[in-house]
Amino acid sequence: MRHYLNILKDIEKYMNDNHLSQDLENLHDWQNDFTGEAEFCSTTATWLYTFQVYSIHYETLMGLIDEFGSYCRSKGINFT
């Protein structure tokens, strides 16, 4: 399983390449106050799954979001 930072880089690249810069900025704003892996992953996964529910994007991005969530679950990191 890939490390969460590598998955997140792919998510960010996809968002940049597909003109989702405002969404990416919103994600970064959401992440600002969290530094530890568990808090950062939990916060990021929560935002990404909320984004996934309210957005219509390609299967590639949805797969990356699911991969990120799988990483969190594999580490026992909970999110809502």
Side-chain angles (χ1 to χ4, degrees), residues 8-74:
L8 193 55
K9 284 180 187 177
D10 287 346
I11 290 170
E12 291 174 346
K13 181 180 181 335
Y14 180 92
M15 292 177 93
N16 273 324
D17 291 351
N18 289 279
H19 312 290
L20 300 171
S21 56
Q22 183 60 52
D23 294 308
L24 183 55
E25 186 177 319
N26 292 342
L27 172 61
H28 289 160
D29 288 345
W30 184 261
Q31 295 167 324
N32 273 342
D33 295 330
F34 302 95
T35 55
E37 180 181 19
E39 288 181 329
F40 185 83
C41 284
S42 176
T43 299
T44 301
T46 299
W47 189 93
L48 288 170
Y49 278 120
T50 302
F51 172 78
Q52 185 179 37
V53 168
Y54 293 104
S55 298
I56 298 173
H57 293 286
Y58 297 102
E59 189 175 320
T60 301
L61 181 57
M62 299 306 129
L64 289 168
I65 291 171
D66 288 340
E67 183 181 5
F68 190 89
S70 293
Y71 174 89
C72 294
R73 284 188 294 276
S74 76

